[in-house]
Amino acid sequence: MADREWNPWRRLLALPNESRTKTVAVAFLVSAISAALVSGATVALRPIQTANRAAEEQARIAALVEGIPGMATILEQSGGELSTVVVDLSTGRAVADLRPAMLEAALLDADNWTTLDAAQDLAGLGQRPNFIQVFLLRDEDEVSLVLLPISGQGYGGRIDAILALAGDMNTVAGIAITNHSETPGLGGRIVEAAWQAQFPGTELRDNSGQIAFRVARGQAASLYEVDGITGATRTGRGVTQMVRFWLGPDGYGPLIDAIQRGEF
């Protein structure tokens, strides 16, 4: 009688190919080896995948911001890495479970808006969203620039803009008017590069911490003013009130405080 083979692997291989036991065992082994290889590849490729997702996100943000007239130049001058975050305006903190891609759907819910009373509503909006997407430019660990969407009522209707603030959160780095209904040749001149070019370097708050920015009725006479547009007093007042509202306590005030405390 031949010696019995005690090696299980050799015993398995010795079985006929049509053996059900051999078929099941080989299938199990192939599945186990494949799973191990896939798991290993996933672990090995995870850093590359993370880097690729980060690069894609940067490209998406850059494309979005560069579509805003004048913002590409401001970003080039500032340097750093651009990121985006959804902020709870009441607290000034990032909303961890609300990504920018989810914001539009979230704002379809009336509960995610705050009604403004007459004393609050400097910008003439009636209500403002509880959550909003902002853009931050970082130089190493510090915020060097923040891009803030703002809106308000002008003479002809709503004015939308992006206001860029330098890292001190008190100096305007630039402005881009993205939508308006102002009178061509009068208030409509707020889209002109020459008028917007006055904003960089303008300060928002005086030494007491009060918001002092305004569009002057004529020529600017202080660090807190930009020239008005002849024949467009109501448009200028609309821009003034829009900036004052959004930089105040019912707008980005809590966010600005958080950035100045180093929480972003």
Side-chain angles (χ1 to χ4, degrees):
M1 182 176 179
D3 291 339
R4 182 170 181 176
E5 177 59 68
W6 293 102
N7 186 312
W9 177 246
R10 289 182 179 177
R11 290 174 59 188
L12 176 64
L13 294 179
L15 292 173
N17 290 337
E18 61 271 17
S19 167
R20 180 175 297 178
T21 300
K22 186 174 183 179
T23 300
V24 171
V26 170
F28 174 79
L29 289 171
V30 170
S31 299
I33 293 170
S34 298
L37 290 173
V38 169
S39 298
T42 299
V43 172
L45 293 175
R46 186 169 295 146
I48 297 174
Q49 293 170 337
T50 301
N52 287 341
R53 283 196 296 269
E56 290 171 1
E57 179 69 4
Q58 280 295 303
R60 186 188 69 80
I61 295 170
L64 178 61
V65 173
E66 286 172 5
I68 303 168
M71 282 296 123
T73 301
I74 294 173
L75 293 175
E76 288 173 5
Q77 293 171 344
S78 301
E81 181 180 354
L82 188 66
S83 62
T84 184
V85 64
V86 174
V87 173
D88 182 334
L89 289 176
S90 64
T91 64
R93 299 184 181 278
V95 185
D97 58 350
L98 185 57
R99 298 189 303 275
M102 302 162 57
L103 181 59
E104 185 175 355
L107 293 182
L108 293 176
D109 186 345
D111 289 340
N112 289 332
W113 290 77
T114 293
T115 300
L116 303 168
D117 62 35
Q120 294 173 300
D121 195 13
L122 299 178
L125 295 171
Q127 59 180 355
R128 63 114 172 104
N130 293 341
F131 311 111
I132 201 162
Q133 180 181 14
V134 302
F135 302 90
L136 304 171
L137 198 69
R138 298 182 187 279
D139 186 0
E140 296 182 351
D141 293 332
E142 294 187 356
V143 174
S144 59
L145 187 78
V146 60
L147 307 182
L148 305 173
I150 61 174
S151 55
Q153 288 296 318
Y155 172 68
R158 181 178 170 121
I159 298 173
D160 296 316
I162 299 291
L163 183 67
L165 300 186
D168 65 0
M169 295 295 107
N170 190 51
T171 304
V172 178
I175 194 171
I177 305 297
T178 56
N179 179 64
H180 76 92
S181 302
E182 302 305 279
T183 307
L186 293 173
R189 292 178 56 200
I190 58 176
V191 298
E192 294 180 0
W195 188 74
Q196 295 182 20
Q198 303 175 77
F199 279 76
T202 303
E203 295 186 8
L204 298 169
R205 294 175 177 80
D206 59 23
N207 293 334
S208 69
Q210 297 298 309
I211 299 177
F213 169 86
R214 75 184 185 101
V215 177
R217 292 180 64 91
Q219 290 188 332
S222 74
L223 288 172
Y224 315 108
E225 296 179 331
V226 297
D227 292 347
I229 297 173
T230 302
T233 301
R234 289 178 63 179
T235 299
R237 184 183 303 118
V239 173
T240 297
Q241 297 296 81
M242 175 172 71
V243 171
R244 290 188 174 190
F245 169 78
W246 283 103
L247 275 297
D250 296 305
Y252 294 112
L255 170 64
I256 289 171
D257 291 342
I259 292 174
Q260 290 178 325
R261 290 193 300 266
E263 295 178 5
F264 273 80

